[in-house]
Amino acid sequence: VLGSSPVTIVVTSEADTWDIDTSSCLGCGQFVDWDKMPEPQQPAQIPRDVLGRPPKELKRLAREGCWGWSHAGRARLYPRLIQQVSCRLVTPDALVYRDVAGRLFGKPSVSSHPLPEFLEGCPLPTYCLNPHGVTALKKILICVGALFPDITHSPLLPALAALLLHYSEDEAQCFESVSRLVASNAPHGGYIDQSFLAHQASCMTFGDLANKHCPAAHKLIAGAAANVLEVYSEWLSWLFPGLPFGYAVRVLDVFLLEGQKVLYRIALALLKQFRLSVAPAGLQGSDIKAELQAFARNIAEHVTADKLLERAFGIRLFSRKEIWLLQMANRKALMERGITVVQRRPSFHLAVDMQNFSSSTVTAQEMRLVWSWIPERFSLFPPLLLFSTSEDGCSLQRFYTCCEGYEPTVLLIKTTEGEV
């Protein structure tokens, strides 16, 4: 949500270097290993009044990569964009970080402080950070854990902190930016899932969206994976830390303006591109999760960042409110199932016992595909056979009587020609 008094910034057309004498981004770049940073391939054409533009135009500029190849432009823009994120009234800022960090790290070294428990099992990407930057990243995450004790699981948070640190003038500025994203209270949206329940609900939601918007890719995965939702449970890692740095920051450009909906869009575009890329040769192995991760890692061989974002925003996705409602429905289904905290490879991903499945209508493989089409909040629960012509006869009245009061239901029909 953009404020009523837009901030006007000036981005010059000078060479894209960070001069320590440039007061507008003093010290930026100190955490970066410049040998690893991708070189700008084209000059950035950033309007001088970019933050004064209407919200729709600002989104368009970000989607088109207006500041996509300007390191200095991002260093100036990111803090100002994040300052306009609607968040809770009491949100820790740079001054709070300096105070807390001074007390935590004033005497003992950072190595004596363990990383927060919410990072357990979450990747900690460092991208192009130098050793000083890696230390700073750990300090920031430790302070986030100390000041946001309600965070229990957040796979996205360390990647966002690492990316923002590349463009921050100091640790305190990066911490304030991360804190505002954590504390966002924008209606029907947010930036960072902060619990296992919320993260799993987003994974289920992605499965629902993939089923609707990427049916060919969904069918490919359902045919190759014994557990479709287990594949989709890693959808966020395709983006962070899966994508190369140059692609990840392009995602960050639009994410800061549009929130989590952008991540769904880009992950769906990746899934579609994956299906197109593997279609001629087929899936090479049985580990579909590893193949998806490798595909994201080598995405530059298949599609440019510009083309990937173009395809992502060509997907006619639900509105932000509709996605939020879908996530809430999936969250409720998880709670009814008793899934609230991190569990060791939970068994709720697939409720049909394929080992003991038997039907005269469909094979186990066909049933697995059918079950993958069902919205995740319903497929959590094992199916109950309500009516079968072999046991209940062919009376339509009997059929309705047996199914009365049960929702939703799946009706499987096999013709005398063997068609299902």
Side-chain angles (χ1 to χ4, degrees):
V1 179
L2 299 179
S4 57
S5 301
V7 180
T8 301
I9 64 170
V10 176
V11 180
T12 67
S13 57
E14 299 169 3
D16 191 26
T17 57
W18 289 346
D19 188 334
I20 59 171
D21 293 326
T22 305
S23 59
S24 59
C25 56
L26 181 65
C28 285
Q30 62 175 309
F31 304 112
V32 176
D33 181 345
W34 285 99
D35 291 333
K36 295 181 180 178
M37 285 286 274
E39 289 292 328
Q41 297 180 358
Q42 58 193 32
Q45 302 295 326
I46 305 179
R48 301 173 73 87
D49 62 339
V50 62
L51 285 181
R53 302 295 179 93
K56 282 189 177 180
E57 187 175 353
L58 194 58
K59 289 180 183 179
R60 179 184 62 79
L61 291 172
R63 292 179 180 187
E64 293 175 355
C66 177
W67 47 88
W69 293 107
S70 173
H71 298 314
R74 283 194 177 100
R76 296 182 179 97
L77 279 170
Y78 281 177
R80 291 163 174 80
L81 290 175
I82 294 171
Q83 280 297 319
Q84 297 180 81
V85 170
S86 172
C87 61
R88 297 193 291 266
L89 185 62
V90 180
T91 300
D93 57 13
L95 289 175
V96 171
Y97 176 82
R98 293 187 181 101
D99 177 59
V100 173
R103 286 189 279 111
L104 284 177
F105 313 117
K107 293 182 180 179
S109 66
V110 67
S111 61
S112 66
H113 296 274
L115 288 172
E117 287 186 13
F118 70 76
L119 291 181
E120 185 176 350
C122 300
L124 185 64
T126 56
Y127 296 109
C128 304
L129 295 177
N130 58 28
H132 174 49
V134 173
T135 300
L137 173 63
K138 292 177 179 178
K139 291 170 66 178
I140 291 166
L141 292 173
I142 289 169
C143 287
V144 168
L147 292 166
F148 291 92
D150 291 340
I151 301 178
T152 55
H153 186 72
S154 185
L156 179 59
L157 197 153
L160 286 182
L163 289 171
L164 289 170
L165 189 58
H166 287 71
Y167 302 102
S168 299
E169 64 182 32
D170 57 20
E171 297 169 18
Q173 185 188 64
C174 180
F175 170 83
E176 180 169 332
S177 295
V178 172
S179 294
R180 292 190 67 84
L181 295 179
V182 168
S184 169
N185 60 3
H188 305 132
Y191 287 88
I192 303 174
D193 290 333
Q194 298 166 43
S195 69
F196 180 74
L197 180 63
H199 173 63
Q200 285 299 124
S202 73
C203 294
M204 291 169 62
T205 300
F206 179 78
D208 292 336
L209 296 175
N211 185 15
K212 178 177 176 60
H213 296 283
C214 309
H218 181 74
K219 185 176 181 180
L220 179 73
I221 291 173
N227 194 327
V228 181
L229 184 54
E230 190 172 338
V231 176
Y232 290 150
S233 70
E234 298 189 359
W235 75 276
L236 205 52
S237 68
W238 304 344
L239 308 179
F240 307 109
L243 292 175
F245 178 81
Y247 286 71
V249 289
R250 284 295 305 276
V251 175
L252 184 61
D253 290 342
V254 288
F255 173 73
L256 294 179
L257 284 167
E258 303 186 47
Q260 195 179 44
K261 183 179 177 180
V262 162
L263 304 185
Y264 286 126
R265 283 186 181 276
I266 297 171
L268 290 171
L270 271 173
L271 193 60
K272 284 191 172 188
Q273 186 64 44
F274 174 75
R275 203 274 304 178
L276 292 173
S277 300
V278 303
L283 293 174
Q284 298 301 309
S286 58
D287 192 348
I288 184 70
K289 293 191 295 181
E291 292 202 27
L292 277 162
Q293 291 288 0
F295 176 79
R297 205 165 44 244
N298 301 308
I299 188 64
E301 299 175 7
H302 305 280
V303 65
T304 65
D306 284 331
K307 184 58 70 174
L308 180 65
L309 263 66
E310 180 185 324
R311 291 174 181 173
F313 290 107
I315 298 172
R316 297 181 64 84
L317 208 57
F318 295 139
S319 70
R320 183 178 284 106
K321 181 177 180 180
E322 288 171 324
I323 291 177
W324 179 80
L325 290 172
L326 182 57
Q327 282 193 212
M328 291 301 103
N330 285 329
R331 185 176 179 133
K332 181 180 178 182
L334 283 167
M335 293 176 69
E336 289 176 354
R337 187 72 169 170
I339 307 298
T340 56
V341 296
V342 178
Q343 299 181 359
R344 189 182 300 274
R345 275 299 166 205
S347 59
F348 66 86
H349 285 307
L350 196 64
V352 181
D353 182 2
M354 292 302 175
Q355 297 296 324
N356 300 312
F357 178 78
S358 177
S359 170
S360 60
T361 306
V362 289
T363 65
Q365 177 73 6
E366 290 169 338
M367 187 58 184
R368 188 169 72 184
L369 181 59
V370 169
W371 208 249
S372 76
W373 295 335
I374 298 172
E376 305 294 354
R377 61 187 178 279
F378 301 127
S379 64
L380 288 175
F381 303 94
L384 174 67
L385 181 62
L386 302 176
F387 176 88
S388 170
T389 54
S390 60
E391 296 179 9
D392 301 294
C394 297
S395 165
L396 191 61
Q397 183 177 354
R398 172 72 175 161
F399 166 75
Y400 282 121
T401 301
C402 290
C403 297
E404 186 178 4
Y406 291 94
E407 290 184 355
T409 57
V410 176
L411 176 61
L412 301 175
I413 300 175
K414 189 172 186 177
T415 70
T416 55
E417 300 296 325
E419 299 165 319
V420 177

